Amino acid sequence: CKANQISTTMAHRTSGRPPAVDNKKLSGELFALTYGALVSQLIKDFESDEEVNKQLDKLGFNIGVRLIEDFLARSNVGRCHDFKETADVISRIGFKMYLGVTPMVGNWSASGDEFSLILDNNPLTEFVEIPEDRRTLLYSNVLCGALRGALEMVYMEVEVRFVQDTLCGDDTTEIRLKFIRRLEDAIPDAED
C-alpha cells in the first residue's frame, strides 16, 4: 500500500531513525529459511523421503537433548507431576519460547497417555510448498525428534509422530505424543 510506504518514509525522515524492525519476526523468518535450506540439502543427499524423515527426526532428537537444559534454566519450570501437566508446559511455554506459537492441546486418549498438539500456524513451513511427488516427506519432522529428545532427558519415553500436516493438504498440523514409560535415571546417548 503506497500510503503506508509514504507514512513510514516520512516518519523515518522526521525522526532520523529507520522504521522499527520486529526482531522476533525477522529471526523466525531467518530460521525458517535456514531450516528450508537444510531440508533441501537432505533431499539431495538421501534417496527417499523415508530416509530424509529419519534424518530430520535424528537431528531434532539431538537438538531436544541439548535444548531441554536451556528450557529448564530459562523457564523456571519444576518437575511435571503428570502427562497432562507436561502437555501444558510443552504447549504454553516450550513452543512459545522457541517457535513463537502456542499449539492447542487436545484429542486426549481415554487413558490419558496420549494427546495431540494442534498448530494453526507452523512457523517452519511459512515459505514452503511440497510438490505432489514428495507427499511422504515429513518436512517438520525435526519437531517430533526435538520433543522426543527433550522428554527423554526428563526421563519420559514417548512416541511422537505427525498425524496431519497443512503441507500435505490437511486443514491443520497435528503432532501426536504417546507416553510409553518413565525411564530410569540414566542420561540417553545422542543419536548418531
Side-chain angles (χ1 to χ4, degrees):
C1 174
K2 281 192 177 234
N4 204 9
Q5 253 181 337
I6 293 169
S7 65
T8 303
T9 305
M10 289 176 66
H12 171 62
R13 281 191 208 148
T14 57
S15 70
R17 291 180 294 195
V21 174
D22 183 354
N23 285 334
K24 280 191 175 193
K25 182 171 173 44
L26 189 62
S27 177
E29 288 176 356
L30 178 62
F31 176 68
L33 291 170
T34 304
Y35 179 72
L38 171 77
V39 174
S40 181
Q41 187 60 50
L42 287 172
I43 289 169
K44 290 176 187 170
D45 291 347
F46 295 96
E47 293 289 318
S48 68
D49 287 350
E50 184 179 325
E51 189 57 38
V52 173
N53 295 342
K54 284 180 188 175
Q55 293 300 317
L56 290 171
D57 182 73
K58 240 187 241 188
L59 175 69
F61 182 89
N62 290 329
I63 290 170
V65 164
R66 288 160 183 78
L67 200 62
I68 190 67
E69 195 173 308
D70 177 67
F71 172 78
L72 293 172
R74 290 178 51 199
S75 68
N76 294 318
V77 171
R79 182 175 215 115
C80 294
H81 296 25
D82 58 27
F83 205 44
K84 287 190 188 255
E85 188 178 349
T86 301
D88 185 56
V89 168
I90 290 169
S91 172
R92 275 188 323 98
I93 302 170
F95 268 76
K96 186 72 172 172
M97 186 182 290
Y98 294 105
L99 295 174
V101 296
T102 304
M104 183 185 85
V105 176
N107 301 334
W108 280 96
S109 66
S111 58
D113 67 345
E114 202 169 346
F115 69 90
S116 291
L117 294 170
I118 300 162
L119 293 147
D120 291 328
N121 177 28
N122 179 351
L124 293 181
T125 62
E126 194 168 340
F127 307 106
V128 179
E129 287 183 21
I130 302 287
E132 284 296 323
D133 64 333
R134 304 303 307 233
R135 291 295 182 190
T136 58
L137 176 68
L138 299 173
Y139 182 84
S140 301
N141 213 35
V142 71
L143 297 176
C144 293
L147 288 165
R148 202 168 49 80
L151 289 171
E152 197 163 307
M153 290 302 291
V154 292
Y155 310 115
M156 282 188 198
E157 183 180 345
V158 294
E159 177 184 295
V160 187
R161 63 187 169 84
F162 272 92
V163 176
Q164 295 184 77
D165 192 346
T166 54
L167 287 178
C168 296
D170 296 315
D171 292 333
T172 188
T173 298
E174 180 179 352
I175 301 171
R176 191 84 177 147
L177 287 87
K178 179 181 174 119
F179 178 81
I180 305 299
R181 67 185 173 109
R182 179 145 311 273
L183 299 170
E184 299 300 317
D185 289 349
I187 298 173
D189 295 327
E191 293 188 359
D192 294 326

